[in-house]
Amino acid sequence: MSTPSETWPVGLTADQSSTASPELSAGPVRRWPDAAPPADHDEVRRPASGRVLVCDDRCEVRDAIELALRSHPVLRLVGQAEDASSCLREIDRCRPDLLILDVNMPGGGPSITRELRRRWPGLFILVYSSHGQQRVREQMLDAGADQFVLKTGRLRPLLTALAAAA
């Protein structure tokens, strides 16, 4: 059983954590601000299947993730969005289980994360961001994101986090 003070490392592999700055080396997956999680909760929200929606304003990021997921045995890309309003429409249209959310896309950030959590409480929200500041990470997790992965220019940390969530 976890407690509100526990945190779990996210987004960095063992080889990256030794070279990353201390600020980026670990962060919470899911914190329970006022109480321990329910007894039947396994600490991290688990999606029902591997249906992935990627929301990033950069086309090259969306395309790279799409290419990486084409051969994945469990994960399947079901949609893409470039801003918060298209993200909301795509979630209604394709019903993903896992959402990759960029902090910097138009309309992105804590406010869209809170809205996503309110509308789709079972959606696994993985923030994929180039912002490595602890403050940004905490804001997104406090807003309802399940996990935070730092954009490093390599997709392996993202794919590892998605596979672990699926």
Side-chain angles (χ1 to χ4, degrees), residues 26-158:
V29 169
R30 173 54 106 186
R31 287 181 286 145
W32 302 93
D34 298 321
D40 60 342
H41 197 283
D42 63 348
E43 294 175 347
V44 176
R45 185 183 337 276
R46 299 282 182 210
S49 70
R51 297 171 51 84
V52 179
L53 173 65
V54 59
C55 300
D56 196 299
D57 59 329
R58 296 182 57 207
C59 181
E60 59 272 14
V61 172
R62 294 190 316 265
D63 290 348
I65 294 169
E66 177 181 10
L67 185 62
L69 292 179
R70 279 187 188 159
S71 62
H72 197 280
V74 176
L75 303 172
R76 181 168 52 104
L77 187 69
V78 295
Q80 296 184 19
E82 62 184 19
D83 58 34
S85 61
S86 61
C87 174
L88 296 174
R89 283 192 309 273
E90 283 298 297
I91 291 172
D92 274 336
R93 184 187 70 77
C94 62
R95 300 291 187 206
D97 300 301
L98 299 147
L99 176 69
I100 300 171
L101 182 66
D102 178 34
V103 173
N104 285 335
M105 71 175 188
S111 61
I112 187 64
T113 306
R114 279 189 290 278
E115 180 66 14
L116 291 165
R117 182 57 62 222
R118 183 185 70 75
R119 288 190 191 188
W120 297 282
L123 180 65
F124 188 94
I125 302 171
L126 187 148
V127 175
Y128 190 48
S129 178
S130 57
H131 281 288
Q133 299 92 353
Q134 188 67 24
R135 176 186 56 78
V136 173
R137 181 184 304 233
E138 288 175 5
Q139 287 174 340
M140 294 302 289
L141 293 166
D142 288 345
D146 293 293
Q147 194 164 8
F148 190 101
V149 176
L150 186 63
K151 285 182 185 175
T152 62
R154 302 187 74 190
L155 289 176
R156 183 167 306 282
L158 173 67

